[in-house]
Amino acid sequence: MQARDLPGAYRVVVLVSGAGTLLQALLDAPDPGYRVVAVGADRPGATGLDRAQDAGLPTFVERLADHPDRQSWNDALAEAVLGHRPDVVIGAGFMKLVAQTFLDALGCPMLNTHPALLPAFPGAHAVRDALAAGVTTTGATVHEVDAGLDTGPVLAQVEVPVLPSDDEDVLHERIKTEERRLLVETVRSLAASRSGRDNHEVSQ
């Protein structure tokens, strides 16, 4: 039996917009200590939803266009996420900024990954920007989400060298490999920390 099937495991809700390779890394991790309980998306065609369905997970979609304004969308997204009682929410290639009201409603952290060593190169073109700046080292970051653009507290980082032969696609693929590993390690660590606290509370 895999950890994500065990009752009482650290509950993870994943939000995706595209291919869902970060989601797949979370699903495939051996002995993760956490349980992916649902996957949501901001558009119905996201391949990550197919990955979730293949894994037997419930899915939901909240399109911004289906709501009268962005605040209504944030409220609906929060309601959908909270229905799965998460211990953490992961933005795994989720390409929408969420409002502070959404984050406040969660009652748990939301994490995001980014293909650079934040605070360097925030935004949607981090790999391109790193190459344009001529840096010799970039990397991947897992950070807590706040209402800003890639401005939340950094939880973990890993460096990736920039090679003379790199173009944007080649470098990004190498970063993605480390990004997936770093995300799994970070969520596993959070789950272990929660489990340790719970065990301590029970023993008192």
Side-chain angles (χ1 to χ4, degrees):
M1 183 182 291
Q2 297 185 359
R4 62 177 175 267
D5 299 317
L6 294 173
Y10 190 73
R11 297 174 65 85
V12 179
V13 172
V14 181
L15 300 179
V16 301
S17 291
T21 57
L22 286 162
L23 164 65
Q24 195 66 55
L26 289 166
L27 293 174
D28 291 344
D31 301 319
Y34 57 78
R35 177 184 173 204
V36 177
V37 296
V39 176
D42 62 327
R43 60 185 187 87
T47 307
L49 293 173
D50 296 332
R51 295 178 187 270
Q53 290 162 0
D54 289 344
L57 295 172
T59 63
F60 57 91
V61 176
E62 288 294 341
R63 292 199 321 150
L64 183 58
D66 291 338
H67 298 276
D69 53 47
R70 201 172 187 98
Q71 186 57 56
S72 298
W73 174 76
N74 273 276
D75 293 343
L77 183 64
E79 183 177 357
V81 169
L82 287 170
H84 299 282
R85 299 180 291 112
D87 293 303
V88 69
V89 177
I90 307 294
F94 188 62
M95 300 305 291
K96 290 285 191 297
L97 290 176
V98 294
Q100 188 63 50
T101 53
F102 171 83
L103 299 171
D104 291 343
L106 291 183
C108 70
M110 179 174 178
L111 309 186
N112 185 48
T113 67
H114 185 73
L117 297 174
L118 292 175
F121 310 119
H125 304 294
V127 179
R128 184 187 311 170
D129 293 344
L131 286 169
V135 298
T136 58
T137 301
T138 185
T141 300
V142 176
H143 66 97
E144 190 167 345
V145 175
D146 63 12
L149 177 62
D150 300 323
T151 54
V154 170
L155 300 182
Q157 291 185 318
V158 60
E159 293 185 352
V160 174
V162 180
L163 305 179
S165 59
D166 279 340
D167 60 21
E168 185 177 351
D169 290 340
V170 170
L171 177 57
H172 202 175
E173 284 303 315
R174 204 159 63 252
I175 292 172
K176 284 179 182 178
T177 298
E178 296 301 318
E179 197 173 13
R180 291 189 283 265
R181 181 184 62 78
L182 189 67
L183 178 61
V184 169
E185 289 179 354
T186 302
V187 179
R188 183 184 280 135
S189 177
L190 289 173
S193 296
R194 201 287 297 269
S195 177
R197 288 196 300 273
D198 289 350
N199 290 340
H200 179 72
E201 288 167 2
V202 169
S203 68
Q204 294 300 311

